[in-house]
Every structure is written in structure tokens, then in C-alpha cells.
Amino acid sequence: MNYEIDNAGADFVFNIHAAHTPNQLVSAENLVLSQSLPLRMYTTPVTGNRYFQVHAAPGPLNVSYSATIDLTHHFADPATIAEVAVRDIPPEVMGYIYPSRYCQSDRLIKLANNEFGRLAQGYSRVQAIHDWVRRHVAFTLHSTNTNTSAADTLIERVGVCRDFAHLMIALCRALNIPARFATGTDYGADPTLGPSDFQAYVEVYLGHRWYIFDPSGTGIPMGFVRFGTGRDAADVSFATVFGGVRTHPAVICALAVEDAANGLVLPHFCHEALSTDSPMLPAAPDFTPITDQPLLW
């Protein structure tokens, strides 16, 4: 990632480190900055997102990150994956059924119920939402900006991966299905779409596990490397900049290596549901019947 910084300097918050998940093992990584700068690095406890913060001096700033990662997905038969009732959603997942800045699910409840309310609940209904978004929105480079929301995408019917993700998330939440925004690197995209880039996709909480969906259809989900997850793009920007900065296009390269001896295969499209997370089961209820409690007036 390459920047030109104005005379006053600038502050940056980056989220470009690969996340540590039960099925995404970061075995080696290296971060190099062209300026000699002190870094403040931290990991958010709930999401596991990894950030680093710097104050850069005027002039060029080049940020280079590389990593070796083993992806060993959890595979499941979609027919066996149920939706999770609201009463059984863990507290750390509840925030992903509410509207957010870019995913105005409260404005899409009528549409979601008209299109998907009569479908059988489970993974197949979420797949139907995924397919609907892909049919009704055209992937068009440079067609939107950082202010474009799910409602905007529904009206304009064009967007990039970020916009597809926001619309799918909003439709899921309108049906009380927890869904979150995920960021990382793409893999397997059509070269006609341009050079490799960052990727925005969706993770939906089904069967007490987060499963991967790519409504933009631009890559191979099995090859996505996750950086961060959040309610929408506002939570997981690759780089948040404070100050006068000119940004140059990022250069991204993802190389998949097959290691059959250790069960590692090249990313490919598959019919199974994919996850790089472990189950998140609800805790047992902890309450006392109200009849056993004194009433205070």
C-alpha cells in the first residue's frame, strides 16, 4: 500500500493482518514500513480483528505485509444447517441482527419477507438471498463510493463486492438472520476485472457457526484470507486515514500452494458450506424464576 503524505503528517489505522481463526493458521508474517515509525498494535477481543496504528511523517509511505497461511476449512452439508432462533443466538452474535450504517435492514423488511419469507428456513434460504442479490445487481467497477449503502445498491442495481455484501447482509438481518461483513484478499477473480484486490464478502451465522458467502461472485471463497469482520464496512476498513494523504492503488498477490501430503488442496468451487470458525454455542440460561424473587415497589 502506497501513500504520499502532506506536510502536516497523517495518522493511519490499518487492518491488513490476517486474522487468527481456528481454521486459518498464520504460520509466518512480516510487516515492513518505508518510514521508521513506532507502531501500536492491538487485537479486538470479540472479533479477533488485528489493527496497527501509526503517525507518519510527510513524504512517501509504503506499507508491505506478507504472510504464510494454512486454510483448513470446515465443510458441511447445506441441507443439514438450520437457522438459529433469536432466543438461541449468543450475546456476542446478537449485534449482527440489528441495522447498521450501511446495512439498513429495517428499511428492507417488507422486501425480504415478500421475497424470502415463505421459503423454508435454513442454509437454503440464505443461499436464495445470495442468489437474488447476484441476479439483481451488476458488478461494475468504480460504480459506487464509500457512502453507498445497501438501500442505494438496491435502487441503483450496480456495485462492487462491498455493495453486494452490504445488500445481502441487510436482507438477512431483515429476516432476523445474523450476518456480518468480512474483509480479506480475493482469489480466483476473472483477470478482466483488473489486478488482484481486497475482497469484501459475507459471513452468516447458521447452525451456530459463521459460514462464508460471496454474493459478488467474483472469486473463489475457499481462497479468501480473512482480515476482519464487523457490522459493515465502517468497522473494518483496510486503512483509515486522518490527514492530507494521496492514495495510490494497492498491489496484492495471493499464491495458493498445494500440499496433498498434509491435506491442503488448491482453492476450488464446491457445493459444501464453508467456514473458518469453530462453533459458537449459546450458554445455558442462568436465571431464577420470578416467583422466587422479592418484588420491590
Side-chain angles (χ1 to χ4, degrees):
M1 304 177 74
N2 304 293
Y3 303 94
E4 292 286 340
I5 300 167
D6 291 349
N7 292 336
D11 291 287
F12 293 81
V13 179
F14 290 99
N15 177 208
I16 56 172
H17 280 75
H20 294 288
T21 79
N23 295 68
Q24 182 173 287
L25 174 64
V26 183
S27 58
E29 61 184 350
N30 188 41
L31 176 68
V32 178
L33 277 65
S34 61
Q35 297 185 18
S36 180
L37 303 170
L39 303 181
R40 191 179 90 173
M41 305 192 69
Y42 56 94
T43 301
T44 53
V46 175
T47 63
N49 297 347
R50 304 168 65 200
Y51 298 92
F52 73 92
Q53 187 173 344
V54 296
H55 176 76
L61 173 67
N62 303 314
V63 179
S64 175
Y65 172 75
S66 60
T68 301
I69 299 159
D70 290 341
L71 284 170
T72 53
H73 295 84
H74 167 79
F75 295 89
D77 179 359
T80 66
I81 303 173
E83 293 179 25
V84 179
V86 172
R87 63 181 177 274
D88 294 326
I89 296 174
E92 58 269 37
V93 178
M94 282 297 296
Y96 297 106
I97 63 172
Y98 302 135
S100 61
R101 175 181 175 184
Y102 293 111
C103 301
Q104 312 102 312
S105 51
D106 51 335
R107 296 177 58 185
L108 304 184
I109 292 174
K110 183 176 181 180
L111 170 65
N113 278 290
N114 286 342
E115 293 289 340
F116 314 109
R118 295 181 179 85
L119 300 181
Q121 295 189 11
Y123 188 100
S124 62
R125 180 157 75 150
V126 176
Q127 184 66 46
I129 297 171
H130 165 280
D131 296 345
W132 189 94
V133 172
R134 186 177 296 186
R135 287 197 310 271
H136 288 82
V137 181
F139 187 91
T140 307
L141 291 172
H142 313 299
S143 58
T144 59
N145 57 48
T146 56
N147 293 318
T148 303
S149 69
D152 297 324
T153 301
L154 184 63
I155 294 169
E156 301 297 334
R157 300 298 174 103
V158 296
V160 294
C161 57
R162 175 184 190 272
D163 307 301
F164 282 77
H166 283 153
L167 181 54
M168 179 177 174
I169 290 167
L171 289 170
C172 287
R173 292 180 188 171
L175 297 168
N176 298 323
I177 303 171
R180 68 187 185 185
F181 189 90
T183 60
T185 56
D186 74 1
Y187 180 86
D190 188 335
T192 61
L193 297 177
S196 295
D197 203 347
F198 293 119
Q199 180 76 12
Y201 55 101
V202 178
E203 292 188 340
V204 181
Y205 188 71
L206 296 161
H208 295 292
R209 191 188 293 265
W210 289 103
Y211 285 96
I212 298 170
F213 292 85
D214 176 29
S216 71
T218 56
I220 301 175
M222 196 186 292
F224 294 167
V225 172
R226 187 209 293 175
F227 290 167
T229 57
R231 294 167 301 171
D232 55 33
D235 287 346
V236 283
S237 174
F238 301 110
T240 305
V241 183
F242 305 88
V245 174
R246 290 178 296 283
T247 302
H248 301 290
V251 178
I252 298 170
C253 177
L255 175 65
V257 179
E258 188 171 21
D259 186 356
N262 290 308
L264 298 177
V265 300
L266 294 180
H268 58 275
F269 290 108
C270 65
H271 296 292
E272 293 90 352
L274 295 175
S275 175
T276 56
D277 269 316
S278 56
M280 298 177 63
L281 300 176
D286 181 14
F287 63 89
T288 304
I290 193 169
T291 54
D292 291 346
Q293 298 179 2
L295 297 178
L296 302 179
W297 300 93

